[in-house]
Amino acid sequence: MSDQPAVLVDALVMRYADKVAVDSLSLTVEPHTITAVLGPNGAGKTTTLETCEGYRRPQQGTVRVLGLDPVRDRRQLLPRIGVMLQSGGAWGGVRAVEMLRHVSRLHAHPVDVDLLVERLGLGDCGRTTYRRLSGGQQQRLGLAMAIVGRPELVFVDEPTAGLDPAVRRDVWELLEELRTDGVTVVLTTHYMDEAERLADRVHILDKGTLVASGSPLELTRGGSVATIRLVVTQPFPPGSPDSLAVELGPGTEVRQLDAVSLLVTGPADASTLAKVSRWCEHHGVLPESLTLGQRNLEDVFLELTASAQPSAQPEVSA
Amino acid sequence: MSTFAPAPGAAPVARQVLTQASMEARLMLRNGEQLLLAVVVPVMVLIGGVRGAERVNLSYGVDTFAPGVLALAVMSTSFTALAISTGFERRYGVIKRLGTSPLSRTGLLCGKVLALLAVEALQVVVIGAVALALGWEPSVDAVGALLTLVLGTSAFASLGLFVAGALRAEATLAAANLVYLLLMAGGAVVLPATAYGSFGDVVTWLPSGALGEAVRAALGAASVPWHDLLVLAGWTAVGAALTARTFTWE
């Protein structure tokens, strides 16, 4: 194995009509890691992934996957990568296991289909036709189809969307096992806990550009940044985050997360807590909860992707 | 070796194509509506045509209807069934998904053609058996029959793929069925072009008329219908050119 990056994206530009979807994006994925690509809807994640998968030709810039050009060297590259689409990808009338077996037969050394069926809990619905599978079952079948060919690199697009918590954990364990066995995993997700738990490296995209990269630990500065999360019963009065910031003074930062919650970053000591309570009292605000904690990946993500928006009230997507 | 240790590689191309072909043929035969179109409708047309013609003293017997119904069966599979299944494959991302598998586009097309030929073989067996039971006495030119099957399939398949690639899935479903019904009634498939009066000269230039006349010549007059085969080859070229210009895989 050489130490070239598994994925290299260099100054990639992709436009649709007059809209720029990816704007001079550069990033790398190291081999044998799990790398998460995060970003709000429309950040350019899927466009970037689909360019790596060879579905789209780079309009400007360079993309290399396992050292190959995904468009020019497509036939060489395809057997070496696995792709999980966000949805679809199977005939409506095909049975779940039949579909998986079909994909396995297109490969030279597939993973044992029965084993994969068991690992992903698809045994109960093995004879169910694809159109009658639940969303979660379709998801798991999609993941199974992506890895059945023993690829070196898999691209998984939101692998646990719509899964119940137990199955989510199974999928996480499977992705970790892939990494242990030497497979490189690139995943997109909307769940920050998923990225924090799984990813060796996180790339955060916003509006087609890379706004941050690093390990979850680096991005959250090792959890050394303390936070106070305030949730109130009624929407905050106008001018709230600013008046609280004045009250707290320098060294702290106040960000409103939505109509009824805000996040204070800075020293979470008794004095700060007292100031927050006093501010609530002065403004007739009734706290529903006041939580001390460390800045997590979700906070970092919201800061980075919200600060790029001109509006003062950041939107929080679920 | 650990469970997921990378060992990438494509299966041999022949295995890929056979896998794809057997999957597509199975899906086609499992689908109730497609089976209706492929076997039940042609057999009904055959029995109904022969018995009906006897009752009203029409000059056409089983020797006319059997080749005509076989031509109808080829048209229903290679045009209507293929267009509808391909339309929905595009809609449900099947073609997109297979686009990242080791199966190449050429492999996918070969798989589709093999699946069509397999289903058509089944149709020929069933319809042929019913026709023989009704007293059909075919007079076969094997080369002519084989060329007709291949060129008829490729002409209608290229037109079917054009429709599937140009329209949305629902529109493909409607258009493919409508064209099938129109050609069955007025396209000189089941009944010979001579039954259409002065319109008969025009209709032999349609893919349906050419296919119908070709099957009648190859299975009824033991001859190779060069003119009709040439017309079918022309439609194949037209369909392939249109498909190549318009087809998108998503």
Side-chain angles (χ1 to χ4, degrees):
Chain A
M1 285 276 165
S2 63
D3 43 6
Q4 68 177 2
V7 176
L8 172 79
V9 174
D10 186 28
L12 177 68
V13 178
M14 297 293 281
R15 292 186 198 87
Y16 298 120
D18 53 348
K19 192 183 162 289
V20 178
V22 176
D23 190 4
S24 198
L25 176 70
S26 298
L27 58 83
T28 56
V29 171
E30 295 309 315
H32 319 307
T33 60
I34 296 181
T35 298
V37 179
L38 310 179
N41 289 328
K45 302 184 299 285
T46 300
T47 302
T48 304
L49 242 58
E50 292 196 346
T51 311
C52 295
E53 294 155 5
Y55 284 123
R56 300 168 195 282
R57 188 182 292 274
Q59 290 165 357
Q60 279 172 44
T62 312
V63 173
R64 289 288 175 271
V65 177
L66 302 171
L68 299 169
D69 181 329
V71 177
R72 196 190 57 210
D73 308 322
R74 193 170 169 72
R75 299 255 51 95
Q76 245 178 300
L77 178 63
L78 286 181
R80 298 175 61 189
I81 64 171
V83 173
M84 176 189 172
L85 301 175
Q86 233 174 68
S87 65
W91 290 279
V94 74
R95 298 185 184 106
V97 171
E98 186 182 29
M99 185 69 209
L100 185 56
R101 213 170 283 285
H102 177 66
V103 175
S104 83
R105 286 202 183 116
L106 301 175
H107 292 272
H109 318 285
V111 176
D112 182 43
V113 167
D114 295 329
L115 179 114
L116 212 47
V117 164
E118 193 201 310
R119 284 295 305 271
L120 284 164
L122 288 168
D124 297 338
C125 59
R127 293 189 53 79
T128 309
T129 53
Y130 186 75
R131 71 166 73 87
R132 293 186 200 286
L133 294 178
S134 71
Q137 289 166 337
Q138 293 187 353
Q139 250 351 58
R140 278 177 277 158
L141 179 61
L143 177 60
M145 291 195 293
I147 61 178
V148 73
R150 286 188 193 274
E152 290 165 56
L153 168 65
V154 287
F155 294 98
V156 288
D157 211 353
E158 299 186 19
T160 62
L163 296 187
D164 69 54
V167 180
R168 246 181 116 198
R169 257 154 226 292
D170 291 343
V171 170
W172 286 352
E173 277 168 23
L174 184 71
L175 291 175
E176 284 170 332
E177 192 177 331
L178 285 168
R179 173 180 53 192
T180 308
D181 288 354
V183 181
T184 309
V185 179
V186 179
L187 77 116
T188 69
T189 180
H190 281 294
Y191 302 117
M192 295 302 142
D193 57 335
E194 181 163 293
E196 204 152 14
R197 145 105 195 240
L198 287 179
D200 302 296
R201 200 169 182 83
V202 173
H203 294 303
I204 300 180
L205 266 56
D206 191 37
K207 295 179 166 44
T209 58
L210 187 68
V211 291
S213 280
S215 68
L217 220 57
E218 286 163 5
L219 287 173
T220 56
R221 273 181 266 157
S224 66
V225 180
T227 58
I228 301 170
R229 194 179 297 266
L230 170 65
V231 180
V232 296
T233 53
Q234 301 271 316
F236 290 111
S240 283
D242 296 337
S243 63
L244 179 58
V246 171
E247 179 96 34
L248 293 172
T252 53
E253 202 182 300
V254 182
R255 280 197 334 103
Q256 188 164 349
L257 299 176
D258 56 38
V260 292
S261 61
L262 51 74
L263 186 76
V264 178
T265 316
D269 51 18
S271 145
T272 311
L273 271 178
K275 284 176 186 164
V276 172
S277 326
R278 203 175 319 132
W279 177 84
C280 287
E281 188 190 352
H282 284 166
H283 289 78
V285 170
L286 184 62
E288 189 176 277
S289 72
L290 194 59
T291 324
L292 301 186
Q294 271 90 42
R295 195 169 70 147
N296 60 22
L297 195 57
E298 181 149 12
D299 300 326
V300 175
F301 175 81
L302 289 173
E303 269 166 43
L304 288 167
T305 56
S307 61
Q309 293 175 353
S311 115
Q313 298 250 319
E315 283 173 35
V316 179
S317 63
Chain B
M1 190 164 76
S2 22
T3 317
F4 300 109
V13 174
R15 188 168 100 202
Q16 291 185 39
V17 170
L18 283 179
T19 299
Q20 185 67 21
S22 84
M23 178 63 115
E24 296 218 9
R26 257 180 297 149
L27 287 171
M28 227 182 267
L29 295 175
R30 196 183 292 164
N31 185 321
E33 299 131 56
Q34 297 217 4
L35 202 60
L36 191 75
L37 205 67
V39 179
V40 180
V41 169
V43 167
M44 277 167 52
V45 171
L46 177 62
I47 296 174
V50 172
R51 292 277 176 263
E54 278 168 8
R55 199 149 304 160
V56 296
N57 278 324
L58 220 65
S59 56
Y60 303 123
V62 70
D63 289 340
T64 307
F65 280 109
V69 167
L70 285 171
L72 179 72
V74 168
M75 186 175 91
S76 76
T77 299
S78 55
F79 178 74
T80 314
L82 177 70
I84 294 170
S85 63
T86 308
F88 280 97
E89 282 173 4
R90 282 179 72 224
R91 150 72 67 83
Y92 293 124
V94 177
I95 295 188
K96 183 176 182 179
R97 178 67 191 74
L98 292 175
T100 55
S101 80
L103 183 70
S104 68
R105 287 172 183 189
T106 317
L108 180 67
L109 274 180
C110 291
K112 281 186 179 298
V113 171
L114 271 185
L116 292 181
L117 292 175
V119 173
E120 286 168 358
L122 180 80
Q123 290 175 298
V124 169
V125 168
V126 173
I127 296 165
V130 174
L132 290 173
L134 290 170
W136 180 34
E137 288 170 2
S139 166
V140 182
D141 182 293
V143 173
L146 204 65
L147 283 174
T148 301
L149 181 70
V150 169
L151 279 173
T153 300
S154 51
F156 276 106
S158 66
L159 293 168
L161 286 177
F162 167 60
V163 173
L167 302 179
R168 285 182 307 111
E170 287 79 8
T172 298
L173 181 70
N177 278 315
L178 185 68
V179 169
Y180 170 77
L181 287 175
L182 287 176
L183 290 181
M184 177 163 74
V189 185
V190 180
L191 290 179
T194 49
Y196 290 79
S198 56
F199 186 57
D201 290 337
V202 181
V203 93
T204 52
W205 291 94
L206 291 179
S208 56
L211 177 63
E213 294 302 299
V215 178
R216 277 183 281 277
L219 298 185
S223 63
V224 183
W226 293 113
H227 177 266
D228 300 312
L229 291 177
L230 214 60
V231 173
L232 290 173
W235 279 105
T236 304
V238 170
L242 286 172
T243 305
R245 285 177 71 93
T246 55
F247 196 87
T248 53
W249 295 84
E250 282 177 50

